Amino acid sequence: MADKFDVIVIGAGPGGYVAAIRAAQMGLKTACVEKWISKEGKVVFGGTCLNVGCIPSKALLEASHKFVEAKHDFDDMGIQAGDVQVDVKKMIARKDKIVKNLTGGIAGLFKANGVTGIEGTGKVTGSQQVEVTDQNGKASTYEADSIIIAAGSVPVEIPPTPLTDDIIVDSAGALEFTETPKRLGVIGAGVIGLELGSVWSRLGAEVTVLEAMDSFLPMVDGAIAKETQKLLKKQGLDIKLGARVTGSEVKDGEVTVKYSDGDNDHEMTFDKLIVCVGRKPYTQGVVGDGVGVETDERGFIQVDDQCRTSVPSVYAIGDCVRGPMLAHKASEEGIMAADIIAGHKAEMNYDAIPSVIYTFPEVAWVGMTEQDAKAKGIEVKTGTFPFAASGRAMANNATEGQAKIIADAETDRVLGLHIVGQHAGEMIAQGVIALEFGSSAEDLALTCYAHPTMSEAVHEAALAVEGHAIHMANRKKKK
Ligand code: FAD
Ligand code: NAD
């Protein structure tokens, strides 16, 4: 038997590494097991988020957006940038460097906080026992008073489009193209489809997005989703809704995709195809037989509101449990689980988890949509402010989009904030704080916002809830 720990965390993504650091900060002897192998063949920490998710995708989104600005928008501002060109390989190399810095940084944080990083594949073999098999197949067994499973998720694959080495790829493959495909197909108009579709469209690909559902971004407030769809279409993304992919054929370096729109069958040929139809929990083999940790029919580990599994000493967090698959949700759960294990009280407000789609402009939301509230029978009042009326947005050359506040008609309590606009991902924190503090729309309306900022749109939207926006004509005026 090897070392004994207070806590062993399986998985070092944003759920696991944050849980491990927090547990160590709480004075617990902590280890974190990770098996992710980098391009260089080394075990690295950081999980999906740092290696093939949030960070590398944002590195490419930012770089490709700067290219579009330099090529199309600078001229308007009186800047002549000349013949702007893209070096895709250099862009990818920059992304790889950022990933390497960050994953190496986690190893440094482990060291600074006294977390023992263990390389290998972890398996819960008892309620207080973890077996780790290293890259050479050598198994070691560790004991721990508590175990946190943070095994994450992997992309869903669909039978009509089996992945190939380099033509039909998942999101990770789409971060590695060495040149811009001329014709790019994307299956799924979800978060990944829109973000990675945008990256390659900005770099010159003709992008077609095939989405099975008839509605666009159904989790986003209707007005915001409608404007987003219009803006992305204007940028060149051809989003086909109600398109059910039925098959594909890879031949001569291209892929022909068959899909049906319900009435007719269609075919389209692409140089690359990204399959991004969702992710599924990565829990197979993480818990040994007979341990008693229960999973549901989709493979999610079953947990209560505080991430306890059916075995009292075992917790599970992040993408491998219910709730949105978001890095910040995983991290907050990691902190909560570590605090509870350390003997503290902790809970999370699952109603105040923000979401951001990092297109341009960004789409961000927290809390209820107007349609959610109506479905729940809650009477609401709303306030909307368009960035076209914002001085800062004009100065920024970013007048597209709007901010919308949904408030309870009776109590004025803020129920949701939904934004499409430049820096929406930064502005959404205001809505999160409003929800956390139970603030009213009037509280936001009475708050002093710095001028000129994009955030003033949230202030104006709050004022507009009562028909008192200053910088636009209010649709309805109340006394
Ligand atoms: P993961 O990050 O998946 O980490 C799990 C870790 O556990 C992995 O490193 C895995 O190797 C390890 N592991 C699994 N099983 C074992 C085992 N048996 N032994 C040892 N180690 C094991 N979310 C956002 O909030 N914002 C974004 O902008 C965003 N962008 C994204 C972009 C893309 C392209 C993708 C794919 C995802 C994105 N996400 C984003 C989602 C985000 O990456 C995940 O929600 C987040 O990484 C989940 O964290 P986690 O710790 O639960 O799991
Ligand atoms: P998603 O659930 O966001 O979108 C998948 C889309 O594919 C849906 O619209 C779905 O209707 C569609 N779809 C499913 N099967 C289909 C089929 N057979 N044919 C055509 N369309 C089909 O999933 P994703 O975009 O793969 O992202 C996975 C997860 O990663 C999400 O849960 C998301 O939260 C997370 N993520 C977050 C961010 C972010 O926070 N910015 C970025 C990327 C990924």
Side-chain angles (χ1 to χ4, degrees):
M1 184 76 71
D3 283 353
K4 174 160 190 315
F5 292 91
D6 295 324
V7 186
I8 294 182
V9 183
I10 298 181
Y17 81 72
V18 169
I21 290 172
R22 180 70 160 205
Q25 287 172 347
M26 294 291 120
L28 301 171
K29 186 179 175 194
T30 307
C32 187
V33 187
E34 179 54 69
K35 64 174 186 157
W36 194 291
I37 309 285
S38 69
K39 282 184 185 175
E40 292 82 21
K42 287 190 176 152
V43 172
V44 285
F45 304 120
T48 303
C49 170
L50 298 195
N51 288 290
V52 294
C54 320
I55 299 298
S57 59
K58 269 77 240 176
L60 296 185
L61 278 155
E62 192 61 31
S64 59
H65 179 60
K66 286 208 162 24
F67 169 66
V68 170
E69 283 191 312
K71 201 165 171 74
H72 302 293
D73 303 340
F74 278 8
D75 192 49
D76 244 14
M77 294 181 158
I79 304 167
Q80 262 99 55
D83 181 23
V84 183
Q85 297 293 330
V86 170
D87 181 338
V88 172
K89 288 192 183 72
K90 198 165 172 184
M91 214 178 259
I92 299 288
R94 169 184 175 269
K95 179 263 298 177
D96 287 343
K97 197 170 158 202
I98 295 167
V99 168
K100 205 170 169 189
N101 277 345
L102 282 168
T103 53
I106 305 296
L109 289 174
F110 276 181
K111 210 166 165 202
N113 285 282
V115 174
T116 304
I118 302 176
E119 297 183 2
T121 303
K123 181 174 186 169
V124 182
T125 44
S127 60
Q128 294 185 311
Q129 197 177 70
V130 174
E131 183 187 86
V132 180
T133 306
D134 71 14
Q135 270 180 277
N136 304 316
K138 183 172 171 278
S140 311
T141 303
Y142 299 86
E143 274 184 70
D145 292 336
S146 302
I147 296 166
I148 302 176
I149 303 171
S153 63
V154 288
V156 168
E157 291 178 37
I158 50 173
T161 52
L163 302 188
T164 66
D165 277 350
D166 66 346
I167 294 184
I168 306 182
V169 299
D170 60 15
S171 55
L175 297 167
E176 298 298 333
F177 296 157
T178 48
E179 56 185 41
T180 304
K182 192 170 170 321
R183 299 159 304 172
L184 174 67
V186 176
I187 306 184
V191 191
I192 295 180
L194 298 181
E195 288 187 358
L196 295 183
S198 292
V199 165
W200 294 108
S201 158
R202 291 166 188 174
L203 298 180
E206 284 163 25
V207 178
T208 306
V209 185
L210 302 172
E211 165 59 52
M213 282 192 301
D214 291 323
S215 53
F216 180 71
L217 294 180
M219 65 290 202
V220 177
D221 189 86
I224 304 292
K226 201 169 157 197
E227 178 151 16
T228 305
Q229 189 178 1
K230 197 180 78 196
L231 292 173
L232 294 177
K233 190 175 170 197
K234 202 170 109 192
Q235 288 169 20
L237 288 190
D238 179 8
I239 301 169
K240 295 189 190 302
L241 299 178
R244 201 170 51 81
V245 174
T246 52
S248 65
E249 190 188 2
V250 175
K251 211 171 149 191
D252 301 331
E254 52 184 36
V255 53
T256 299
V257 177
K258 295 189 172 95
Y259 68 93
S260 158
D261 63 11
D263 296 327
N264 295 302
D265 293 334
H266 303 268
E267 275 189 15
M268 281 190 87
T269 300
F270 304 109
D271 301 301
K272 302 271 184 200
L273 180 68
I274 311 174
V275 182
C276 39
V277 294
R279 295 178 63 84
K280 60 182 181 186
Y282 183 45
T283 49
Q284 240 183 344
V286 176
V287 181
D289 293 338
V291 177
V293 172
E294 283 169 21
T295 51
D296 68 15
E297 64 288 353
R298 292 192 296 159
F300 288 100
I301 295 175
Q302 287 189 330
V303 289
D304 67 10
D305 282 351
Q306 280 153 324
C307 292
R308 294 184 191 88
T309 70
S310 41
V311 175
S313 52
V314 181
Y315 293 71
I317 60 169
D319 279 11
C320 67
V321 304
R322 85 282 172 268
M325 288 184 166
L326 294 171
H328 42 283
K329 176 262 192 185
S331 299
E332 288 304 306
E333 287 183 333
I335 289 176
M336 174 172 71
D339 283 357
I340 292 170
I341 291 168
H344 303 291
K345 278 197 176 145
E347 58 182 21
M348 251 180 87
N349 180 0
Y350 284 93
D351 292 331
I353 298 173
S355 294
V356 184
I357 306 177
Y358 294 83
T359 44
F360 190 90
E362 291 174 355
V363 186
W365 67 98
V366 64
M368 280 184 215
T369 62
E370 192 173 346
Q371 60 266 26
D372 286 341
K374 283 189 177 150
K376 287 186 175 148
I378 303 170
E379 212 178 308
V380 296
K381 48 189 181 176
T382 63
T384 299
F385 189 79
F387 286 103
S390 151
R392 181 60 193 268
M394 286 178 214
N396 287 4
N397 200 18
T399 51
E400 290 167 330
Q402 57 180 298
K404 176 173 175 181
I405 287 181
I406 289 122
D408 188 298
E410 203 179 318
T411 63
D412 195 39
R413 193 177 172 134
V414 174
L415 300 175
L417 173 63
H418 302 260
I419 309 173
V420 52
Q422 186 192 42
H423 306 318
E426 305 292 336
M427 286 184 271
I428 202 64
Q430 299 169 63
V432 180
I433 292 168
L435 289 180
E436 282 287 358
F437 286 76
S439 88
S440 63
E442 188 186 27
D443 289 329
L444 292 180
L446 293 174
T447 300
C448 182
Y449 280 69
H451 174 77
T453 55
M454 296 296 280
S455 291
E456 285 172 299
V458 176
H459 187 218
E460 291 276 4
L463 285 161
V465 168
E466 292 299 335
H468 293 154
I470 303 291
H471 291 93
M472 66 170 191
N474 292 279
R475 239 185 263 157
K476 50 182 192 294
K477 254 220 148 59
K478 291 188 181 164
K479 63 178 167 82

